[in-house]
Amino acid sequence: VIANRDKENQYSEMLEAWTDVCEGMAKAELAPAPEQVNEELLCDYTIGDNHTGLYAWAEEAGDDWNLEKSTDILKKAMNHLVFHSPNAETAFILDVGDYFHADNTNNETSRSKNKLDVDTRWAKVLSAGIECICYLIDLALLKHKKVIYRSAIGNHNDHSAIMINIAVKLRYSHEPRL
């Protein structure tokens, strides 16, 4: 049985979860800028439909998938890409949408109310997703003098895309290179 929650309750739960995440969030330490970079190059690290928090069972979906696998593979991919990328002056990290699988504590899409299988609690998924993005940004800051980050809104993350952009802005508020 799925409990129907009114909009005000959804909003207050979202605010509570977001407040917990922000209050415990440490400010990023400034990374030293690389000494030699090519000013004519830009490295583009695009994240496509990551669906952080998606939960899948191999017998139903063909493969097991969960929050840990989702963030782990994204971190490993970014490690590989940053290590092998040229010393471009600027890096662009673009989440093209649907970075998060669910956009609220009801584990559904905000627009069409499609029910979603989500690994654990929404606040935990939100926290892990933000931590993962900060990890990617920190890696890019080690290699590039300037990093641009954007999270676009997709059909699964109307609200969480805005939240992650705000979280990044707050965490790196004193980092002039981002």
Side-chain angles (χ1 to χ4, degrees):
V1 176
I2 298 171
N4 282 330
R5 298 180 181 169
D6 60 31
K7 297 283 182 193
E8 187 176 315
N9 192 22
Q10 287 178 7
Y11 180 74
S12 65
E13 285 181 9
M14 183 172 61
L15 244 133
E16 182 181 328
W18 186 234
T19 300
D20 289 345
V21 170
C22 286
E23 286 176 354
M25 186 181 294
K27 293 287 185 188
E29 293 182 25
L30 297 178
E35 299 211 5
Q36 294 183 337
V37 294
N38 185 332
E39 295 175 3
E40 296 179 9
L41 292 179
L42 175 136
C43 286
D44 179 11
Y45 304 106
T46 299
I47 304 165
D49 287 325
N50 197 62
H51 287 269
T52 302
L54 179 144
Y55 188 72
W57 180 39
E59 290 190 34
E60 278 183 335
D63 197 8
D64 288 323
W65 198 252
N66 59 34
L67 179 61
E68 184 179 339
K69 282 186 176 184
S70 173
T71 55
D72 183 58
I73 199 167
L74 193 54
K75 289 177 180 179
K76 286 177 179 173
M78 188 68 168
N79 272 312
H80 177 80
L81 292 171
V82 169
F83 180 79
H84 291 289
S85 69
N87 288 341
E89 180 177 48
T90 305
F92 188 44
I93 301 173
L94 173 64
D95 157 27
V96 297
D98 294 345
Y99 177 74
F100 287 103
H101 187 56
D103 203 35
N104 55 47
T105 58
N106 290 336
N107 295 334
E108 63 186 18
T109 56
S110 294
R111 294 180 219 172
S112 57
K113 308 294 184 218
N114 292 322
K115 297 296 178 192
L116 305 168
D117 287 330
V118 178
D119 183 17
T120 195
R121 302 288 189 263
W122 187 69
K124 183 177 178 183
V125 172
L126 188 63
S127 182
I130 291 168
E131 184 275 328
C132 184
I133 287 295
C134 291
Y135 178 89
L136 306 184
I137 290 169
D138 289 344
L139 277 177
L141 284 168
L142 292 174
K143 179 92 174 206
H144 308 283
K145 280 193 174 181
K146 180 179 179 184
V147 176
I148 301 164
Y149 170 77
R150 295 287 183 275
S151 179
I153 294 174
N155 66 316
H156 280 248
N157 66 336
D158 294 273
H159 302 103
S160 52
I162 296 166
M163 285 189 274
I164 200 164
N165 282 319
I166 292 169
V168 166
K169 183 178 179 180
L170 292 172
R171 181 174 170 98
Y172 295 94
S173 61
H174 65 290
E175 175 56 82
R177 296 174 39 226
L178 179 71

